[in-house]
Amino acid sequence: MTLHEDAVLVLKRYAPEDEHGDQAELRQLYLDHLARHDDGMWKACGAGHVTASALVIDPERERVLLTLHRKLRMWLQMGGHCEPQDTALEAAALREATEESGIAGLTLLPGGPVRLDRHPIPSPCNWHLDVQYAALAPAGVAERISEESLELRWFGYEDVAGVADVSVVRLLAATRSRL
């Protein structure tokens, strides 16, 4: 199975709580995008592309690890572009979270994606169609900053809204409903 085919299956199985809300609309927009663009998983797709991310949660389930993104200068969850070696969206999200956090042994929360988020980005990419997961960090590990980050920091749930974009706040809220 290709990554494109996996993404279609993941999105078809994604069942947002509000079947008529923005998440259902985004799911259909993502599926339509992939139906129109064979290259819709890749950065080269000028109409936008699917990305994968994961919100990293500490073992006590009280804090999240955010990255101060080097290019965007914003506190965000770990994530980014799919790579040719990725065999599944889950694998891409886990790879990105591991690379950007430096934490080995992350495990994704069961149940598939937590949320979808579509956001504009500078040309030539134009749009990220982000499939967002959540990952638990194992006990006793330390984060390690990557070249994509200016800083990594753990934030209590109550502190996220004061530092992060509304998309991260929404991802945290959806994640907490699964914990």
Side-chain angles (χ1 to χ4, degrees):
M1 176 179 310
T2 67
L3 182 59
H4 188 280
E5 292 166 337
D6 176 75
V8 170
L9 285 176
V10 166
L11 291 164
K12 284 182 176 179
R13 291 180 186 144
Y14 175 65
E17 288 182 21
D18 180 3
E19 193 57 40
H20 301 289
D22 72 316
Q23 290 295 288
E25 289 177 22
L26 281 176
R27 181 183 75 181
Q28 191 58 55
L29 185 139
Y30 286 27
L31 287 167
D32 292 346
H33 173 80
L34 290 173
R36 285 192 306 272
H37 301 282
D38 289 339
D39 63 345
M41 297 299 300
W42 311 117
K43 189 176 180 179
C45 183
H49 49 277
V50 174
T51 57
S53 66
L55 183 66
V56 176
I57 304 157
D58 76 326
E60 293 79 28
R61 300 176 185 208
E62 297 172 352
R63 302 176 300 159
V64 296
L65 183 65
L66 299 180
T67 177
L68 183 56
H69 194 277
R70 184 173 296 280
K71 290 181 183 175
L72 299 176
R73 308 267 195 234
M74 296 171 60
W75 288 103
L76 301 170
Q77 76 276 12
M78 314 301 154
H81 298 108
C82 296
E83 301 291 341
Q85 72 269 19
D86 295 327
T87 57
L89 274 177
E90 284 187 354
L94 197 55
R95 177 188 51 74
E96 283 286 338
T98 300
E99 287 175 1
E100 292 184 12
S101 71
I103 299 174
L106 294 171
T107 56
L108 295 180
L109 290 184
V114 175
R115 263 186 75 69
L116 305 176
D117 184 71
R118 177 180 182 249
H119 47 271
I121 55 169
S123 198
C125 296
N126 299 314
W127 291 99
H128 275 179
L129 309 177
D130 198 28
V131 180
Q132 301 176 325
Y133 293 84
L136 286 172
V141 296
E143 68 279 1
R144 183 180 29 86
I145 196 165
S146 77
E147 63 187 35
E148 295 182 37
S149 301
L150 293 171
E151 186 177 349
L152 289 173
R153 188 182 310 165
W154 290 100
F155 291 93
Y157 295 161
E158 67 282 352
D159 299 322
V160 171
V163 297
D165 182 83
V166 67
S167 67
V168 180
V169 174
R170 289 182 186 136
L171 175 57
L172 174 58
T175 298
R176 290 184 74 185
S177 72
R178 285 212 192 162
L179 292 175

